Amino acid sequence: MGSHSYEYHKDKSSLTAITVFHKTPKPYKGGVLTFRENDSILEVDLEPRDLVIFGSMTDHAVSPIVLNEDVKSKVCFSDEGLIYQKAQDIMNGRISVSKFIGQPFP
């Protein structure tokens, strides 16, 4: 079964805001937001309705998301060609809402 993740990258904006929604208990493993700067790593495991705002030029990644075995899912393809799991009932999985604010710094 596929998973959804993002390797380390920077966004093309000034600020990035991310909110995550999911049922409790969490119906998946992974999805940890990780920040990297020099030799430091900060991992943030978001709870439902948490909001994180950070400078978009900060290296960040999301670990692979794998739905728990008891969650019915299907493999899907995004417009970018990524393969990921989608719960048949959208509220069985994880919803992440991202907002990119402002123009990138020069």
Side-chain angles (χ1 to χ4, degrees):
M1 190 83 52
S3 67
H4 194 68
S5 65
Y6 288 97
E7 297 295 324
Y8 278 105
H9 67 282
K10 297 174 181 178
D11 296 326
K12 294 181 180 177
S13 60
S14 297
L15 296 172
T16 299
I18 300 174
T19 304
V20 170
F21 302 92
H22 61 75
K23 285 184 177 179
T24 303
K26 192 182 327 184
Y28 61 90
K29 294 173 184 64
V32 176
L33 178 61
T34 305
F35 297 97
R36 175 176 68 182
E37 187 169 344
N38 300 323
D39 293 332
S40 298
I41 301 275
L42 173 65
E43 293 183 342
V44 180
D45 195 4
L46 298 171
E47 294 297 322
R49 297 176 303 283
D50 281 352
L51 170 65
V52 175
I53 301 173
F54 57 93
S56 301
M57 294 308 293
T58 304
D59 261 352
H60 59 284
V62 177
S63 65
I65 298 165
V66 180
L67 295 174
N68 294 343
E69 290 182 16
D70 61 335
V71 176
K72 294 180 182 177
S73 65
K74 60 183 178 177
V75 175
C76 298
F77 298 89
S78 72
D79 292 340
E80 296 82 25
L82 298 171
I83 300 172
Y84 62 97
Q85 286 178 305
K86 179 178 179 182
Q88 290 178 355
D89 172 358
I90 194 164
M91 293 312 296
N92 277 338
R94 175 183 190 269
I95 299 170
S96 174
V97 179
S98 300
K99 176 68 176 171
F100 305 101
I101 304 163
Q103 297 297 315
F105 294 109

